[in-house]
Amino acid sequence: MHDTVIEELFDNAERAVTGTAASPVRWSPWVRLLHRLMWEKAAASDLPAGAGLARASFEQTHYSDAWRMTMRPGMPRDAESWRGVLRGASFPVMGREGGEVLLGEDAGHLDFRASILVDDCQVTLSTVVRIHNWRGRLYWAVVKRVHPFMARTMLRRIHRRLALAAPSAAERAQSAPVPPALQGS
């Protein structure tokens, strides 16, 4: 792990000076495993006040939860970039407002909404469910046991993927606009 960190520091220095790294370090399987295990975990939270679409989804909800993670530098701040959190299922977009995207589906037994809310500090994945009948209660009795684990895992996976794909500090500094006060110098 130490060697990888040192090699990445040299790669960053080379990128800062030349704009690219000729042969960037490749992580060993051991480093990849440690990195994956040590990645921040999603934390439970209340349904955020900014999740207006999720809050207004149903008059009465039978279940709701929210999981949040801290944003890292360079990560995308638009909620559309985070739609991959629900990969494997192409749920229709029910609404967009500000930094929130609402996905969901209505079925005969229950309706659900998944809200992805992104602000400058964190990303929050919220779920609200409305149950219609005994089939919905039976279905949800089983699914609610695994839902928190799946929601946390999906959010953590896309968080890690987007963080690793984010531009480095040197790349962000290169593409940042020059402040007007410094343009003349």
Side-chain angles (χ1 to χ4, degrees), residues 34-44 67-70 72 123 149 151-153 155-157 159:
L34 288 176
H35 194 265
R36 186 175 304 246
L37 291 174
M38 300 307 291
W39 198 261
E40 172 191 1
K41 293 178 177 30
W67 303 95
R68 65 177 162 70
M69 292 185 78
T70 305
R72 292 187 173 199
V123 57
F149 171 76
R152 287 190 315 260
T153 301
L155 180 59
R156 186 175 185 225
R157 184 177 295 140
H159 184 275

Side-chain angles (χ1 to χ4, degrees), residues 79-88 103 116 154 158 161:
E80 286 292 329
S81 300
W82 290 84
R83 281 184 53 198
V85 75
L86 298 173
R87 74 176 187 167
L103 306 160
I116 302 163
M154 290 187 300
I158 192 71
R161 184 178 306 127

